[in-house]
Amino acid sequence: MPTVAVDKEDLFERLGKTYTTEEFDHLCFEFGIELDEDTTAEVEEAAKKGLPAERPQLKIEVPANRYDLLCIEGIARALRVFLQKQTAPVYKLVEPASMLTATVSPETAQIRPFFACAILRNVTFTPRSYASFIDLQDKLHQNICRRRQLVAIGTHDLDTLEPPFRYEARPPNNIKFKPLNKTEEYTATQLMTIYEGEKHLARYLPIIRDSPVYPIIYDKQDRVLSMPPIINSEHSKITLNTKNIFIDVTATDETKLNIVVNIVATMFSEYCAEPYSIEPVRVVYPDGRTVIQPDVSSRQTTARASYINSCTALSLSAEEIASLLERMSLDARVSPSNPDEIQVDVPCTRPDIFHECDIMEDAAIAYGFNNLPRTFPTTSTVAQPLAVSKLSDLVRQEWAMAGWVEVLPLILCSHDENFAWLNRTDDNKTAIKLANPKTAEYQVIRTSLLPGLLKTIRENRKHPLPIRVFETSDIAVKDTSAERQSRNIRHAGAVWCNKTAGFEIVCGLLDRIMAMLEVPRIFTHTENATHGYYLKETEDPTFFPGRAAKIFYRPKGNPPYSESQMSQTPSASGTTQEAEPSGLIAAAKDAVSAAVSKLKSTGDVEIGLIGILHPTVVEKFEIPYPCSALEFTLEPFLKEVPHIWADDV
């Protein structure tokens, strides 16, 4: 959660009372925020030693979605309303005789298409309120603005500018101005080089650096206000003597644009000669659309007293709940047509309220969480594990008891790890890919457990051999038939790494878990079995040629093979005959074809692969020893979990 440092004396003066640390900590808890630190003791200790020290501060943690609490003005205002020392302020737009206009050019659609403005008139700053004004912008930039990627804020001395304003996007070499705290003019291209060495601005350069055009704001005299999201102009910088403030906000997200311009304007409108008054600006978009910014009107919604009481175990009337909501800066009243319905006006400073449950939470905070009655639930439930979880636990326990080590790698991996490094190709129909991966290391959701197991061995390759690791977890694939267009599949996988391949080791591991699942092995002489599993040699690019096999599972009730595939082959006429030595090659081909066709006619299910990994695979994962791997799905072995309320339980 964001931490806001406020001047202790200033805050208590605004609240009209001096609190002890314990008292203020309790007040914060009651309101739903947290006192993280009181620096009074540190300041006093420094003063005793004759060291310079700032005024005592209170460091307060606030919820990440309460943007109105990111400054001392918002915290003091909310606490005063909570303590019923004042009513929630009503913010209003004061339209001048001639409203200022800002025009948005079509080129801005390439970089930051949305624009908003606001004006604060006759502002009186003190050094502390001025510092708070700057700090709020930084807090918003790091929070909802996502380090200026989504939204950027600029503030200017309106008296140094001449409207109307123009928001444009130009090639960087066509932009030249004197940036904040500089004495010379530079082109935008030069600024990209200059600010690479300034840590606090260098982090924002990649946002627009590769764009063919940069956003820029001009006044009527072609004087630059700012180049968002990088830097403001030196010409229009605000000072302690600034009286009229012009606020500009540019964004790639219109919703966040409106939230940010409202928060900045409303929080500091209390310093205007007419408190809580804001002058709007007319913004004209390229398509001719005109928007009056900011929109500080409240949003109307409703909540039911019965719903709030059911969630809080209270028995309050709608009038009592409405009075509680008033303490949370919400204008609430009982509906004249429905005594159970509460009409709520949500101010523009509370974008965190979306649903009825948010209103219920505010009512509970105002009532006091510690005051809520403690009761036993009216219903009792019995928990039971999911069938797939029970099955996974069985596999984990048996393989761990066999001396293997369980690992828990991440479900995200790079595209190469999931495909190229396993000698597999991407069909663009299976893997779920991240649209905006933060790093190349996390691009897709794995479709196999092998990348995670092999990366684990790579990072632990200096450990004594053999290395035996396993995992039972989910992979994910696309599924257009599902509502969410994807589905999870529970897999079990294991890798043996030693100086020798150890194919027989992973075969034994497979046999062990199948024995615990009561699935018998199907051999040549038991191929007519109605239930079991067997291996069938295959060629897979992930595994060494001739050293890989598919794992097939025959569920109970499926038809078995009707004839031996080892000693008989179908003849050209369709009758069965013994294979002659002279026709061994042809007979072998026929046997394979017959086996495949019979496999398709039966209900045998391919559940996984087992084999010795290809040398190129272990080389790409930087493993210096041969490895054998096993991976199969656990889904076919799931047994139906009985309903807990079934009569036969």
Side-chain angles (χ1 to χ4, degrees):
M1 295 192 299
T3 300
V4 182
V6 300
D7 186 277
K8 181 177 180 179
E9 184 179 342
D10 190 5
L11 179 61
F12 289 170
E13 181 181 345
R14 290 170 180 264
L15 295 179
K17 180 180 177 180
T18 300
Y19 294 85
T20 64
T21 302
E22 292 75 16
E23 290 173 339
F24 187 72
D25 187 25
H26 179 72
L27 173 61
C28 290
F29 176 81
E30 290 291 319
F31 184 65
I33 56 180
E34 182 179 352
L35 177 61
D36 187 51
E37 184 181 357
D38 182 351
T39 65
T40 302
E42 299 175 9
V43 171
E44 292 177 350
E45 185 67 23
K48 290 179 182 178
K49 296 179 180 179
L51 300 175
E54 297 180 349
R55 289 158 58 97
Q57 290 187 329
L58 299 173
K59 297 182 179 180
I60 304 171
E61 287 190 1
V62 301
N65 61 351
R66 287 298 301 268
Y67 313 118
D68 59 314
L69 301 180
L70 291 176
C71 58
I72 187 174
E73 290 78 8
I75 292 175
R77 198 177 303 167
L79 288 177
R80 283 183 60 84
V81 175
F82 181 74
L83 295 170
Q84 298 178 298
K85 293 186 175 182
Q86 74 171 69
T87 58
V90 178
Y91 306 101
K92 58 183 178 181
L93 296 181
V94 179
E95 296 188 12
S98 178
M99 187 180 299
L100 272 62
T101 302
T103 305
V104 180
S105 71
E107 292 76 18
T108 57
Q110 303 178 54
I111 182 70
R112 301 176 81 83
F114 301 109
F115 187 65
C117 308
I119 297 173
L120 300 179
R121 293 282 187 182
N122 300 315
V123 175
T124 302
F125 273 139
T126 64
R128 288 199 295 273
S129 62
Y130 176 80
S132 178
F133 185 61
I134 302 301
D135 187 58
L136 174 63
Q137 297 176 56
D138 291 338
K139 287 286 193 300
L140 290 171
H141 277 149
Q142 300 304 313
N143 194 319
I144 185 175
C145 301
R146 295 295 185 269
R147 296 179 177 86
R148 304 190 189 181
Q149 292 188 42
L150 301 182
V151 186
I153 310 165
T155 53
H156 314 275
D157 188 337
L158 183 59
D159 295 332
T160 65
L161 303 169
E162 184 177 349
F165 303 104
R166 307 190 317 273
Y167 173 45
E168 302 179 355
R170 296 184 177 184
N173 287 328
N174 295 348
I175 298 173
K176 189 173 184 179
F177 68 102
K178 185 191 298 183
L180 191 65
N181 298 326
K182 298 291 184 183
T183 58
E184 299 180 16
E185 290 188 348
Y186 300 94
T187 65
T189 303
Q190 292 172 326
L191 288 177
M192 290 292 132
T193 304
I194 293 172
Y195 288 139
E196 282 181 351
E198 299 190 17
K199 185 176 180 181
H200 69 290
L201 289 176
R203 70 186 76 171
Y204 307 123
L205 300 182
I207 300 175
I208 63 171
R209 174 181 294 172
D210 297 329
S211 174
V213 293
Y214 290 2
I216 192 78
I217 305 173
Y218 292 100
D219 73 350
K220 183 178 180 179
Q221 302 299 327
D222 284 340
R223 291 175 294 205
V224 172
L225 279 70
S226 69
M227 185 178 72
I230 308 301
I231 193 70
N232 289 341
S233 167
E234 173 72 12
H235 173 77
S236 60
K237 72 175 182 180
I238 64 172
T239 65
L240 282 172
N241 299 321
T242 297
K243 289 297 181 181
N244 300 307
I245 301 175
F246 179 76
I247 303 168
D248 76 72
V249 182
T250 59
T252 59
D253 185 305
E254 191 169 16
T255 299
K256 290 180 170 57
L257 173 95
N258 294 328
I259 292 174
V260 170
V261 71
N262 285 344
I263 292 297
V264 176
T266 56
M267 289 302 102
F268 290 90
S269 60
E270 68 175 63
Y271 297 119
C272 295
E274 184 182 353
Y276 310 122
S277 64
I278 303 165
E279 181 178 323
V281 178
R282 180 184 292 106
V283 179
V284 182
Y285 280 93
D287 58 1
R289 179 169 58 102
T290 300
V291 180
I292 305 300
Q293 294 281 9
D295 181 7
V296 297
S297 60
S298 58
R299 174 172 54 87
Q300 294 185 349
T301 187
T302 60
R304 293 162 295 157
S306 57
Y307 168 77
I308 295 175
N309 284 327
S310 66
C311 293
T312 57
L314 298 173
S315 300
L316 301 176
S317 65
E319 291 80 4
E320 291 173 319
I321 294 176
S323 64
L324 292 176
L325 295 177
E326 295 281 352
R327 296 181 61 193
M328 302 302 294
S329 301
L330 303 178
D331 185 14
R333 59 201 173 278
V334 180
S335 171
S337 60
N338 185 353
D340 186 51
E341 184 178 273
I342 304 171
Q343 297 176 344
V344 182
D345 291 339
V346 182
C348 62
T349 55
R350 293 296 306 276
D352 59 296
I353 295 181
F354 288 98
H355 307 290
E356 188 178 22
C357 61
D358 299 315
I359 298 175
M360 176 274 296
E361 181 185 13
D362 270 12
I365 292 174
Y367 186 85
F369 281 133
N370 286 339
N371 299 326
L372 295 177
R374 301 180 182 181
T375 59
F376 283 102
T378 56
T379 59
S380 60
T381 57
V382 179
Q384 60 176 338
L386 295 172
V388 69
S389 298
K390 290 183 65 175
L391 181 59
S392 299
D393 288 344
L394 173 64
V395 175
R396 294 170 58 239
Q397 181 178 1
E398 290 302 323
W399 283 1
M401 291 173 63
W404 292 64
V405 178
E406 184 179 14
V407 299
L408 298 171
L410 300 176
I411 196 171
L412 295 177
C413 62
S414 73
H415 187 275
D416 285 345
E417 290 168 351
N418 198 68
F419 292 106
W421 290 11
L422 296 179
N423 295 334
R424 295 174 178 173
T425 56
D426 182 6
D427 60 3
N428 293 317
K429 297 179 181 178
T430 305
I432 302 170
K433 302 174 184 178
L434 274 65
N436 54 341
K438 189 171 182 65
T439 67
E441 200 173 2
Y442 307 119
Q443 295 174 316
V444 300
I445 300 177
R446 63 185 179 185
T447 58
S448 169
L449 299 182
L450 292 181
L453 292 168
L454 293 174
K455 286 195 292 184
T456 302
I457 293 177
R458 178 187 67 195
E459 300 303 322
N460 296 275
R461 59 182 179 270
K462 294 184 180 179
H463 283 214
L465 298 177
I467 298 176
R468 320 176 261 197
V469 293
F470 76 91
E471 181 186 8
T472 58
S473 189
D474 284 349
I475 66 164
V477 296
K478 293 180 181 178
D479 185 356
T480 56
S481 63
E483 181 181 2
R484 61 180 182 271
Q485 300 292 295
S486 64
R487 60 189 171 93
N488 289 13
I489 305 173
R490 185 63 56 90
H491 273 210
V495 175
W496 165 279
C497 178
N498 201 357
K499 293 181 179 179
T500 58
F503 179 72
E504 70 282 0
I505 303 295
V506 291
C507 282
L509 193 66
L510 175 64
D511 292 340
R512 174 60 182 167
I513 197 59
M514 289 298 182
M516 297 307 300
L517 294 173
E518 300 179 351
V519 180
R521 180 77 175 268
I522 299 177
F523 296 96
T524 303
H525 63 278
T526 60
E527 62 183 13
N528 292 329
T530 59
H531 179 230
Y533 77 100
Y534 59 92
L535 305 181
K536 184 175 180 60
E537 184 178 349
T538 188
E539 293 295 328
D540 188 285
T542 303
F543 297 92
F544 197 85
R547 295 294 185 271
K550 292 181 179 179
I551 308 169
F552 287 92
Y553 172 60
R554 184 176 298 168
K556 291 181 180 179
N558 285 332
Y561 290 116
S562 58
E563 55 184 322
S564 172
Q565 298 171 15
M566 295 295 295
S567 60
Q568 296 179 336
T569 59
S571 65
S573 62
T575 60
T576 302
Q577 63 181 20
E578 296 291 330
E580 297 294 336
S582 59
L584 287 177
I585 297 178
K589 292 182 178 179
D590 291 339
V592 172
S593 299
V596 172
S597 62
K598 290 180 180 179
L599 180 63
K600 292 180 179 178
S601 65
T602 65
D604 294 2
V605 181
E606 180 187 338
I607 61 172
L609 289 166
I610 186 173
I612 301 174
L613 292 177
H614 199 283
T616 60
V617 173
V618 294
E619 180 183 0
K620 289 171 183 174
F621 282 94
E622 303 176 16
I623 301 174
Y625 305 105
C627 297
S628 291
L630 157 70
E631 183 176 3
F632 63 97
T633 176
L634 297 176
E635 305 284 341
F637 305 103
L638 293 179
K639 295 182 179 179
E640 184 179 354
V641 179
H643 195 280
I644 195 64
W645 300 117
D647 294 337
D648 56 346
V649 175

